[in-house]
Amino acid sequence: ARAADAILFGAVASPSHAVPGYSSPIVRLRRELELYANLRPTRGAGVDLVIVRENTEGLYAGRERLEDGGETAVAERVITRRASSRIARAACELARRRAAELGRPGRLTIVHKANVLRVSDGLFREAALAVAGDYPDLAVEELLVDVAAMRLAQEPARFDVLVTTNLFGDILSDVACIHGGGLGVAASANLGDGRGLFEPVHGAAP
């Protein structure tokens, strides 16, 4: 994979229960190859949008542990300014390219839950808005993740490019794909600087 320019990852699934010594191969590939941008497009009747998901941190950072003799499970949600700014810039550049290709103004929606996750999503929001300020040609809005989910279900045609954190992007893209034929045909690109990994969104659906 390191020697390749592009990687095709098949339909596989990780176990839903703990298996000693097991770690997710797709998560490891994303992290070790610095495939920081997960692009999940949806096209359907009147819908043409892309969800840009940060791909290397958040709740998928793998920092989980048991405490209190196994009675308490703790997961650390890791958000950094560097990764947030990097994914926001990737989303802004994509929105700008799409605007030129489609002949219309570009739109960017920043999705977060900073009203509750004030520190972690607060940092993501702050970093994304700062980067978006470098793109005055784009129409920029922000939505709380629950509102974004509702509007993706109700009025998906209002969206162009959405940028969000790892877990939120994973879930929202599953909502959006309803408008493009369903989870079975949803595709994604995991992109870094000079390398790409492509995979079905559904994993091993059965």
Side-chain angles (χ1 to χ4, degrees), residues 60-117:
Y60 291 178
R63 298 189 186 180
E64 290 188 291
R65 63 185 181 275
L66 291 174
E67 297 181 349
D68 301 328
E71 295 301 307
T72 302
V74 177
E76 295 181 358
R77 187 171 189 259
V78 180
I79 302 292
T80 65
R81 188 179 303 277
R82 173 180 174 270
S84 300
S85 298
R86 182 171 62 177
I87 198 63
R89 194 162 302 280
C92 287
E93 290 292 332
L94 176 62
R96 179 175 278 176
R97 287 197 305 273
R98 283 170 54 86
E101 292 167 2
L102 299 173
R104 53 152 176 73
R107 302 191 310 279
L108 178 72
T109 305
I110 300 168
V111 180
H112 58 76
K113 192 66 175 174
N115 62 325
V116 175
L117 301 169

Side-chain angles (χ1 to χ4, degrees), residues 98-179:
R98 283 170 54 86
E101 292 167 2
L102 299 173
R104 53 152 176 73
R107 302 191 310 279
L108 178 72
T109 305
I110 300 168
V111 180
H112 58 76
K113 192 66 175 174
N115 62 325
V116 175
L117 301 169
R118 297 174 187 270
V119 176
S120 57
D121 262 22
L123 177 59
F124 175 81
R125 174 183 181 270
E126 177 187 326
L129 286 171
V131 170
D134 295 336
Y135 296 81
D137 51 312
L138 299 179
V140 178
E141 66 171 349
E142 53 180 309
L143 290 178
L144 297 177
V145 63
D146 42 350
V147 177
M150 179 185 69
R151 292 188 178 170
L152 274 169
Q154 289 182 331
E155 44 179 341
R158 74 184 298 276
F159 292 107
D160 180 16
V161 174
L162 302 89
V163 63
T164 190
T165 55
N166 204 334
L167 177 62
F168 291 166
D170 198 7
I171 295 170
L172 290 177
S173 61
D174 286 358
V175 176
C177 77
I178 295 167
H179 307 291

